[in-house]
Amino acid sequence: MAKRARVRAPELTGKGGWINTGGGQLGLADLRGRIVIVDFWTFCCVNCLHVLDELRELEEKHRDTVVIIGVHSPKFVHEAEHQAVVDAVERYGVEHPVLDDPELATWKQYAVRAWPTLVVIDPEGYVVAQHAGEGHAHAIARLVEELEAEHTAKGTLRRGDGPYVAPEPEPTVLRFPGKALALPDGNFLVSDTTRHQLVELAADGESVIRRIGSGVRGFVDGSADAAGFSEPQGLALLDDGSVVVADTVNHALRRLDLATGEVTTLAGTGRQWWQGSPTSGPAREVDLSSPWDVAVFGGRVWIAMAGVHQLWAYDPADASVAVAAGTTNEGLVDGPGAEAWFAQPSGLAATADRLWLADSETSALRWVDLDSVVHTAVGTGLFDFGHRDGPAEQALLQHPLGVTALPDGSVAVSDTYNHALRRYDPATGEVTTLATDLREPSDAVLVGDDIVVVESARHRLTRLRLPEEAVRVESVAHRTRRAATEVAPGHLRLDVIFQAPAGQKLDTRYGPSTRLLVSSTPPELLLSGEGAGTDLTRALELNPAVTEGVLHVSAMAASCDDAPDNDYPACHVHQQDWGVPVRLTESGADRLPLVLAGMDGDG
């Protein structure tokens, strides 16, 4: 076995303390003898949620040798609140210890630059691999098997139960509900996301009429009792009276027959979409990626495809799906649908001439017109957020997940991380606050003169009277919590490090197997080096007149099994987007390494 590069792992520290340990504290010394996978994540990040799902099988298969440790490293101010992290751990079914690191102390010690990042520590306490982004589960599984064999032979592997302690279940009617739908008979249908069910409530918003789904995570069609969902979210009423469901973690659209309770699949295969997969075709044959909400607009079901930063559309007439807007690049760019950039679109609401959307990672309210041109009403980009009312061009939201069209042509925004309901009026261009003291509102529906809000972190629906006047709040503005990387003006060498997993090689059968896309905010930061290419190393020229900004880097690499006698090798796509805040100083670095997979040999 080839000698593996090793670096001593820094200690795990975080002011928020430990979750899922029964109140106990953990350190690397407690984990010695186990293979440790450290998952740097934040709960706003859909790619981080993908990784949680990728790790479930490995976590179960190697439960006696592997300990997964989540290190929660916040982007938004709300994510630095300890209770919000506790809620997220339960909401997403995290079954391993989590360190709450609100000040990014461990993130900095491990020189992490992106969510999600996975670090593998061997039983002797050394870092042996680092992977950024998603799609690495197969490589880590192979490395785990190698480490098990190596350290069994050395006598340094310790088997047994891990430090995970499950929290006590809470007896609430709903558990982290996601979206709601007002039904024609006055009842409500709610996606009971953490319990993998849909719940029909009476008009009072509290009394349970029935539950749809077994309550066990799964992808199963059938009767109301047998059907399986996986963290369902968005709901929309179809013309035939049935309901379409965004079955988020199953990467599918499901259909609920309200009369019988029967659940069938409209779109998706159950597999996650990856670069190179088909982007249109028969709906049951095309992969989707974390559909978060749905709305009927222009005769089609539009899908907020949070996992790939796009809008897709399902056409009931021919049962097909296709990309409707977005390039898969993460950011805020308006224009024709084919050129627009989104960042985790998570909420949709349709009117006759506009499709409104909550673009969560850019803390933005945006809309699509009948010509599929994308516009931004509120929001400036990935790194600015807060709670500020006033003219739309300077107003701020914080990771909104829902949007609701109001009768007067304005829209209500479920401003999730501000715990508020906001309002944008296109006629005046003003943003106001309708209500505060809502705990992570994720959706809202109109019922007469009232608005019923899904208070996700309070596990309930809350009915409010639409106020005639806005609530006054003190304005606050924030930027992302990550410290800027100091780089020198002028020449900067960008290196994306990718080492194919053991037993694999870069797949060059059909051309280059790597892709690199570079841009900046502001655009003037880059004098040269922006654009797309196939080399994972790029010479950049930074403008000395711009003192700070963000480098946006998107990288992809495809690797396949390296077996000459295998005519059908298994292939895997590794991809990650980085937004790297930089500050230009004469003493700054002239090289920026970003690890996609492997170890930086020049670091």
Side-chain angles (χ1 to χ4, degrees):
M1 188 177 298
K3 191 73 172 175
R4 188 179 291 110
R6 303 197 307 172
V7 176
R8 176 63 70 178
E11 189 52 85
L12 303 172
T13 60
K15 282 197 171 180
W18 289 91
I19 303 165
N20 278 356
T21 62
Q25 301 298 304
L26 285 179
L28 286 179
D30 303 308
L31 303 171
R32 196 63 46 83
R34 311 299 291 272
I35 300 163
V36 179
I37 300 171
V38 182
D39 176 16
F40 290 89
W41 69 298
T42 188
F43 64 78
C44 71
C45 159
V46 72
N47 309 92
C48 301
L49 305 185
H50 291 167
V51 167
L52 288 176
D53 291 307
E54 288 178 3
L55 293 175
R56 291 186 202 280
E57 182 179 348
L58 184 146
E59 192 169 22
E60 181 60 36
K61 183 178 180 181
H62 299 274
R63 192 170 289 279
D64 66 333
T65 59
V66 171
V67 174
I68 296 176
I69 298 292
V71 177
H72 188 270
S73 314
K75 171 186 173 180
F76 290 97
V77 169
H78 170 59
E79 293 173 316
E81 296 176 16
H82 182 70
Q83 186 57 48
V85 183
V86 172
D87 288 346
V89 167
E90 181 189 349
R91 182 196 302 267
Y92 297 116
V94 179
E95 295 184 354
H96 51 252
V98 173
L99 174 64
D100 180 11
D101 183 19
E103 297 180 350
L104 304 181
T106 297
W107 165 288
K108 293 170 187 173
Q109 286 294 310
Y110 280 78
V112 174
R113 296 185 187 275
W115 298 280
T117 290
L118 297 169
V119 175
V120 182
I121 302 172
D122 73 10
E124 295 178 289
Y126 290 89
V127 174
V128 292
Q130 182 170 327
H131 301 266
E134 47 184 308
H136 300 291
H138 66 285
I140 292 176
R142 180 155 187 159
L143 176 57
V144 164
E145 291 172 357
E146 291 179 2
L147 290 171
E148 285 177 340
E150 176 185 340
H151 289 274
T152 296
K154 292 175 68 175
T156 50
L157 184 69
R158 176 169 58 89
R159 295 178 181 267
D161 292 334
Y164 168 67
V165 178
E168 289 293 323
E170 296 284 344
T172 53
V173 171
L174 302 172
R175 203 69 192 161
F176 298 105
K179 305 289 184 182
L181 177 67
L183 298 176
D185 63 1
N187 289 347
F188 297 97
L189 188 67
V190 183
S191 53
D192 197 14
T193 304
T194 297
R195 293 201 178 119
H196 316 296
Q197 290 180 318
L198 308 179
V199 178
E200 184 175 350
L201 299 177
D204 62 10
E206 298 178 9
S207 305
V208 177
I209 304 297
R210 59 175 170 167
R211 293 182 179 271
I212 297 106
S214 65
V216 177
R217 186 191 297 271
F219 189 20
V220 181
D221 286 345
S223 66
D225 292 336
F229 298 97
S230 189
E231 298 181 27
Q233 289 279 351
L235 308 164
L237 200 62
L238 298 177
D239 290 341
D240 64 3
S242 65
V243 174
V244 59
V245 182
D247 194 4
T248 303
V249 178
N250 278 329
H251 311 294
L253 296 188
R254 315 293 291 282
R255 178 185 181 273
L256 168 64
D257 186 315
L258 285 171
T260 66
E262 190 80 10
V263 176
T264 53
T265 299
L266 291 177
T269 63
R271 297 184 300 271
Q272 184 184 339
W273 186 93
W274 287 101
Q275 292 286 352
S277 303
T279 55
S280 64
R284 292 290 304 273
E285 299 174 16
V286 177
D287 299 339
L288 308 181
S289 183
S290 298
W292 210 275
D293 203 4
V294 282
V296 178
F297 179 62
R300 296 184 294 169
V301 177
W302 285 63
I303 310 164
M305 202 73 79
V308 284
H309 316 301
Q310 289 181 310
L311 302 179
W312 287 43
Y314 167 76
D315 191 340
D318 60 3
S320 65
V321 291
V323 174
T327 64
T328 76
N329 294 322
E330 184 180 15
L332 193 152
V333 177
D334 289 340
E339 301 171 10
W341 292 23
F342 301 99
Q344 281 178 225
S346 301
L348 298 175
T351 65
D353 59 354
R354 292 187 181 188
L355 178 71
W356 292 97
L357 67 116
D359 203 26
S360 62
E361 278 294 286
T362 53
S363 297
L365 172 65
R366 307 177 72 184
W367 54 281
V368 183
D369 65 25
L370 292 172
D371 296 320
S372 295
V373 177
V374 179
H375 311 260
T376 297
V378 182
T380 59
L382 287 163
F383 300 98
D384 293 290
F385 53 90
H387 192 152
R388 181 194 289 154
D389 287 335
E393 59 270 16
Q394 56 91 54
L396 293 172
L397 309 170
Q398 187 180 178
H399 198 80
L401 291 178
V403 61
T404 307
L406 300 179
D408 63 357
S410 66
V411 289
V413 179
S414 296
D415 193 5
T416 309
Y417 288 4
N418 279 328
H419 309 301
L421 191 68
R422 313 285 294 282
R423 176 177 178 264
Y424 167 69
D425 186 350
T428 63
E430 291 286 316
V431 175
T432 51
T433 298
L434 296 176
T436 58
D437 191 31
L438 299 166
R439 187 70 185 171
E440 292 191 14
S442 54
D443 195 21
V445 293
L446 278 176
V447 180
D449 292 331
D450 295 341
I451 191 163
V452 176
V453 180
V454 179
E455 273 199 276
S456 187
R458 283 198 178 115
H459 320 292
R460 69 188 189 192
L461 302 187
T462 298
R463 185 181 293 259
L464 304 172
R465 181 56 54 99
L466 275 173
E468 294 181 8
E469 294 184 3
V471 177
R472 298 186 67 85
V473 297
E474 186 157 345
S475 294
V476 291
H478 303 288
R479 285 183 65 80
T480 183
R481 302 173 67 84
R482 285 179 294 167
T485 298
E486 293 194 349
V487 295
H491 178 74
L492 178 69
R493 177 180 157 198
L494 171 66
D495 287 332
V496 174
I497 290 95
F498 177 76
Q499 297 158 4
Q504 294 187 13
K505 64 178 181 180
L506 290 174
D507 177 22
T508 57
R509 293 171 298 166
Y510 307 110
S513 60
T514 55
R515 186 189 72 169
L516 181 65
L517 178 68
V518 180
S519 63
S520 68
T521 303
E524 298 78 27
L525 174 63
L526 275 176
L527 294 176
S528 66
E530 72 281 358
T534 58
D535 194 339
L536 292 182
T537 294
R538 180 80 59 87
L540 308 180
E541 191 74 21
L542 302 183
N543 187 349
V546 179
T547 57
E548 61 180 29
V550 178
L551 290 174
H552 304 283
V553 181
S554 177
M556 183 186 75
S559 62
C560 295
D561 290 344
D562 186 11
D565 57 344
N566 186 355
D567 294 330
Y568 302 100
C571 297
H572 307 273
V573 176
H574 317 257
Q575 64 184 49
Q576 174 61 20
D577 295 333
W578 291 267
V580 183
V582 294
R583 182 179 300 111
L584 275 60
T585 64
E586 291 298 334
S587 60
D590 61 1
R591 176 177 178 265
L592 177 62
L594 300 175
V595 177
L596 179 59
M599 300 283 280
D600 179 18
D602 295 338

